[in-house]
């Protein structure tokens, strides 16, 4: 059990902030798209500064097959089943977005050396639910929902897979997809009976690589969708237009009573703020706009490509990345309508501001990141998606990915790269691999939902 009552998680966001410091990180490492014929793996990184193996990969759990493209992952249980003593945050679900296989990993028996518990076969998922391209994993009390980006043939809009706590396929979670054209990320606030979902593109569109013309052909998303959570059906769509090109990650504030949330639109490099008005109507506004930057080798100014956002557990700060520019930013969102830029650091990117960090050449730019529960440490990795990596950062094939730790000032705002921590995935035993999403055994700032 990881704190508080009788089940997993924490009684409240305030309790989560008081949790012990993370000592281990689980990070996806991929060989898919590198030319190295080895399985993708789950890397365990030692994050205990008092340990002799601090800032090193101490274990690698290889997947059974080659070419999964491990991407995003999630826990079997979170604070939504904090009152259920029969549940524990024991299993990490690690889907392969290309293979469709969902790897259920036991992290509790030996947290330093996770082991494979079960594989939910991708072919079985396709046959039973007509879904492919698994993405976001959220626990729903003792059950699990996973967003899928396509149907069995790789065409949009996909849908949602429902698993029970034994990791058996229940079927599709949603009662209807309505008029939703694309799927991607989702988050829910049970006290308001709402789920919000965002849009990327069909797997057949994004998997081969990025083609700007396909945005013009409307093959990429530009909408947010609001669902009646209990009825499992979409009830309202926000069309974001040019301000919301490719709206990827979507997050509500952690406060379960709040309706405020944020979405990062990757291509337009904007943050969209949404909330429910006093009149009970969903509203939205653009609150952060990152300008494109000129580049001598590009025919057009380079967009930031804001592929991820994250909100600190105390709901004070929003973090975002600009994958192509190469910077991470921290904004004070105490007033969600008027964010204030309070911190910025550079690592990699195409603008040449920080080609090296702590003596390691950075291939790629800041991409996925995970924040400690107390908000003081931000772990950042550099790979987005294998074909997109190869397109925009071809050197990542030979250099591999990097994990950096950023120290965050939670009192006054501010960020700086920690000089004592760097994980160079270019030096892995089987050759350079790339690192993507990160989770901690005790939960993190993108896992827990409160009922």
């Amino acid at each position: 059990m990881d704190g508080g009552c009788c089940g997993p998680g924490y009684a409240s966001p305030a309790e989560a902030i008081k949790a012990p410091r993370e000592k281990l990180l689980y990070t996806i490492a991929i060989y898919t798209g590198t030319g190295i014929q080895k399985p993708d793996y789950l890397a365990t990184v030692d994050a205990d500064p008092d340990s002799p193996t601090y800032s090193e990969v101490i274990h690698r759990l290889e997947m059974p097959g080659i070419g999964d493209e491990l991407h995003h992952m999630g826990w079997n249980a979170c604070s939504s089943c904090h009152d259920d003593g029969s549940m524990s945050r024991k299993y990490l679900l690690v889907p392969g977005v290309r293979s469709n296989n969902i790897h259920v990993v036991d992290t509790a028996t030996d947290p330093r050396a996770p082991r494979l518990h079960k594989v939910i076969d991708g072919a079985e998922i396709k046959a039973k639910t007509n879904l492919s391209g698994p993405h976001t994993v959220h626990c729903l009390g003792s059950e699990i929902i996973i967003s899928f980006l396509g149907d069995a043939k790789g065409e949009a809009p996909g849908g949602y897979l429902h698993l029970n706590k034994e990791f058996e396929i229940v079927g599709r979670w949603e009662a209807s997809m309505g008029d939703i054209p694309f799927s991607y990320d989702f988050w829910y606030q049970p006290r308001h009976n709402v789920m919000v979902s965002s849009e990327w593109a069909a797997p057949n569109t994004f998997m081969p690589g990025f083609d700007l013309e396909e945005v013009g052909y409307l093959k990429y998303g530009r909408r947010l969708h609001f669902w009646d959570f209990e009825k499992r059906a979409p009830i309202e769509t926000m069309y974001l237009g040019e301000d919301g090109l490719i709206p990827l990650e979507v997050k509500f504030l952690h406060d379960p009573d709040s309706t405020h949330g944020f979405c990062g639109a990757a291509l337009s490099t904007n943050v969209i703020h949404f909330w429910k008005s006093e009149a009970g109507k969903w509203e939205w506004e653009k609150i952060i706009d990152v300008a494109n930057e000129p580049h001598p080798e590009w025919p057009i100014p380079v967009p930031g490509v804001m592929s991820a956002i994250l909100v600190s557990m105390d709901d004070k700060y929003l973090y975002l990345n600009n994958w192509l520019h190469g910077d991470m930013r921290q904004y004070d969102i105490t007033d969600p309508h008027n964010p204030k830029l309070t911190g910025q650091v550079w690592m990699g990117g195409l603008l040449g501001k920080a080609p090296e960090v702590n003596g390691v050449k950075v291939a790629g730019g800041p991409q996925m990141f995970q924040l400690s529960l107390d908000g003081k440490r931000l772990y950042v990795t550099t790979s987005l998606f294998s074909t997109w990596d190869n397109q925009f950062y071809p050197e990542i094939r030979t250099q591999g990915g990097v994990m950096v730790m950023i120290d965050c000032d939670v009192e006054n705002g501010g960020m700086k790269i920690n000089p004592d921590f760097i994980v160079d995935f270019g030096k892995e035993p089987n050759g350079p691999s790339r690192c993507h999403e990160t989770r901690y055994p005790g939960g993190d700032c993108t896992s827990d939902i409160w009922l």
Side-chain angles (χ1 to χ4, degrees), residues 254-275:
H254 296 284
D255 174 2
D257 289 323
S258 177
T259 63
H260 290 274
F262 304 89
C263 176
L267 187 59
S268 44
T269 320
N270 295 327
V271 175
I272 305 297
H273 166 226
F274 54 87
W275 71 99

Side-chain angles (χ1 to χ4, degrees), residues 10-27:
Y10 308 95
S12 65
E15 288 299 311
I17 293 167
K18 296 185 221 164
R21 176 180 173 144
E22 69 289 345
K23 300 281 183 74
L24 298 171
L25 316 174
Y26 300 128
T27 299

Side-chain angles (χ1 to χ4, degrees), residues 68-375:
D68 281 301
E69 183 118 2
L70 305 181
H71 195 57
H72 284 225
M73 50 185 168
W75 294 102
N76 70 306
C78 78
S79 295
S80 64
C81 40
H82 182 58
D83 292 337
D84 184 352
S86 70
M87 294 296 295
S88 63
R89 198 184 325 241
K90 180 177 180 181
Y91 298 105
L92 195 55
L93 281 79
V94 188
V97 74
R98 290 185 187 271
S99 68
N100 255 29
N101 297 327
I102 297 173
H103 309 89
V104 182
V105 175
D106 173 0
T107 63
T109 304
D110 182 353
R112 295 174 68 87
R115 59 188 73 175
L116 193 60
H117 171 71
K118 178 179 181 176
V119 178
I120 305 167
D121 183 56
E124 184 188 358
I125 293 169
K126 283 184 178 181
K128 288 185 173 175
T129 65
N130 188 31
L131 289 172
S132 76
H135 196 270
T136 302
V137 180
H138 272 304
C139 93
L140 171 64
S142 61
E143 314 252 298
I144 295 151
I145 332 175
I146 304 173
S147 63
F148 277 68
L149 307 185
D151 64 15
K153 293 179 179 170
E155 294 298 336
Y160 296 82
L161 176 68
H162 184 187
L163 301 175
N164 65 20
K165 63 181 177 182
E166 309 302 328
F167 311 112
E168 297 160 336
I169 297 170
V170 177
R172 295 276 283 256
W173 172 81
E174 78 281 4
S176 164
M177 287 294 285
D179 297 324
I180 289 178
F182 305 109
S183 298
Y184 184 65
D185 197 19
F186 71 102
W187 194 280
Y188 62 97
Q189 280 289 52
R191 291 185 191 179
H192 297 280
N193 187 34
V194 66
M195 180 173 103
V196 61
S197 67
S198 61
E199 300 186 339
W200 190 6
N204 291 345
T205 300
F206 71 77
M207 281 193 182
F210 179 66
D211 180 349
L212 186 60
E213 287 190 350
E214 292 190 315
V215 178
Y217 297 149
L218 305 181
K219 288 192 168 186
Y220 281 87
R222 45 186 77 185
R223 298 169 184 81
L224 290 178
H225 304 282
F226 290 81
W227 296 61
D228 182 313
F229 192 60
E230 288 171 6
K231 291 182 179 170
R232 306 183 182 188
I235 51 172
E236 189 176 337
T237 289
M238 289 177 174
Y239 180 71
L240 307 174
E242 298 297 307
D243 282 331
L245 296 176
I246 316 187
L248 293 184
E249 291 214 337
V250 64
K251 307 280 184 265
F252 277 110
L253 292 182
H254 296 284
D255 174 2
D257 289 323
S258 177
T259 63
H260 290 274
F262 304 89
C263 176
L267 187 59
S268 44
T269 320
N270 295 327
V271 175
I272 305 297
H273 166 226
F274 54 87
W275 71 99
K276 199 172 199 175
S277 71
E278 288 182 9
K281 186 175 183 301
W282 286 103
E283 311 272 1
W284 72 273
E285 63 188 350
K286 176 177 72 174
I287 54 167
I288 297 168
D289 187 346
V290 177
N292 294 358
E293 295 280 349
H295 190 285
E297 293 165 28
W298 274 54
I300 57 169
V302 178
V305 180
M306 188 190 299
S307 46
I309 63 167
L310 181 153
V311 176
S312 61
M313 191 56 76
D314 62 2
D315 292 337
K316 182 177 179 182
Y317 294 109
L318 179 138
Y319 293 88
L320 62 84
N321 73 314
N322 291 302
W323 185 58
L324 292 186
H325 288 177
D327 62 316
M328 285 292 309
R329 297 188 183 191
Q330 175 198 59
Y331 286 84
D332 185 323
I333 52 166
T334 308
D335 175 357
H337 300 282
N338 296 290
K340 294 182 174 64
L341 179 63
T342 49
Q344 184 178 29
V345 297
W346 294 87
M347 49 177 283
L350 296 176
L351 304 183
K353 300 272 182 94
E356 284 195 12
V357 173
N358 295 349
V360 175
K361 282 178 79 172
V362 179
Q367 210 296 115
M368 286 306 293
F369 41 96
Q370 189 56 264
L371 186 66
S372 60
L373 290 169
D374 64 8

Side-chain angles (χ1 to χ4, degrees), residues 27 29 31 41 43 45 54-58 60 355-363 380-382 395-405 420-435:
T27 299
Y31 281 122
Y41 56 102
V45 174
Y54 178 58
S55 182
E56 292 177 20
V57 178
I58 56 171
R60 298 164 184 88
E356 284 195 12
V357 173
N358 295 349
V360 175
K361 282 178 79 172
V362 179
V380 188
T381 54
T382 51
E395 67 279 9
I396 203 168
R397 289 181 80 111
T398 51
Q399 285 178 231
V402 175
M403 178 190 276
V404 168
M405 185 170 96
D420 302 319
F421 185 99
I422 185 105
V423 188
D424 183 357
F425 282 83
K427 293 189 162 58
E428 285 293 270
N430 288 321
S433 71
R434 302 174 196 176
C435 39

